[in-house]
Amino acid sequence: MSGVRAVVFDTDGVLLATAARHAAAWKDTFDGCRGEWRPQAGEPPLPFDAVGEYRDLVDGRSRLDGVRAFLTARRMELPPGAPDDPPGCSTVYAVAARKEAIFTRMVRTEGVEAFGDARSVLRRLHAMRVGCAAVSASKHARSLLRTADLIGCFDALVDGQDLDALALPGKPDPALFLEAADRLGTGPEHTAVVEDALVGVEAGRRGHFALVVGLCRDDDPRMADALLAHGAHLVLTGLDALPAALHGHRP
């Protein structure tokens, strides 16, 4: 038997309308540290670009990996610190905790919603007997999916808590996706990945998944080209087209 028998979905930006909130939280985090990161007798770092830098450096990564990628890109260094560092700007863990606190406050204040096409497509896939899993580097994934009333739509869920518990590397390593495919009992050769982040589609291709779908909800040609360049087999502008895209890959 060949073909796609399951789909692994990224969470933020694919299922939940939280990507813009993450971008805003990262900007608040990094820009709020600019004063403390001012070089001696020099200007502070430029403000964080919530479009380009978000896409290239932090989107889809764990908080720690996102902080590290940003610092590397800006040619800055911070001591790693420790997991119990309070929110701040002096260590990698402190900056990650700062982002966590800002994002948590945003969600608590503004709530979270699923994209309009998410629930209907998940139901269609279940009717097609296609297994579904949600994956996220965030420790918030379970609670956010529960708040959006999507938690019961999945046969498996792998999130930031699993990443820590199993000591899995984050994207672009395919470990999170491979863990989800293993829990679905299909393996990557029978599983599709749906991702909106560049590191996510790269992870799907590295994991040798049967189909890697890049999701570009803004229908931005430059982003669509970037998704293809990073490993997507095809790019969709919404989930409604996913069942048809899977048709030629079904057993």
Side-chain angles (χ1 to χ4, degrees), residues 149-211:
D149 196 27
L150 286 183
I151 194 73
C153 297
F154 300 100
D155 305 295
L157 172 61
V158 182
D159 68 357
Q161 297 179 44
D162 298 298
L163 187 147
D164 287 349
L166 300 174
L168 300 174
K171 305 169 192 173
D173 191 284
L176 285 170
F177 290 147
L178 292 171
E179 177 67 19
D182 185 59
R183 295 184 185 188
L184 289 168
T186 52
E189 66 274 15
H190 299 298
T191 306
V193 166
V194 183
E195 257 284 5
D196 69 319
L198 300 181
V199 291
V201 295
E202 185 177 340
R205 185 54 77 92
R206 284 190 188 185
H208 302 289
F209 281 80
L211 180 66

Side-chain angles (χ1 to χ4, degrees), residues 87-104:
C89 303
S90 59
T91 71
V92 172
Y93 272 100
V95 177
R98 178 182 174 92
K99 192 269 179 179
E100 162 83 354
I102 292 170
F103 180 76
T104 300

Side-chain angles (χ1 to χ4, degrees), residues 75-129:
R75 298 180 181 176
M76 298 188 295
E77 292 185 9
L78 290 177
D84 59 352
D85 284 356
C89 303
S90 59
T91 71
V92 172
Y93 272 100
V95 177
R98 178 182 174 92
K99 192 269 179 179
E100 162 83 354
I102 292 170
F103 180 76
T104 300
R105 184 175 67 246
M106 287 180 173
V107 170
R108 186 170 56 245
T109 302
E110 304 168 15
V112 62
E113 293 183 357
F115 283 107
D117 54 9
R119 188 173 290 101
S120 62
V121 167
L122 289 167
R123 287 173 178 165
R124 287 166 64 190
L125 293 179
H126 278 297
M128 295 166 60
R129 302 194 179 206

Side-chain angles (χ1 to χ4, degrees), residues 53-74:
E53 287 188 305
Y54 174 75
R55 177 195 63 214
D56 295 337
L57 302 177
V58 300
D59 186 20
R61 300 182 191 268
S62 69
R63 288 191 305 277
L64 287 172
D65 286 345
V67 174
R68 294 182 186 116
F70 173 79
L71 292 173
T72 298
R74 293 297 189 94

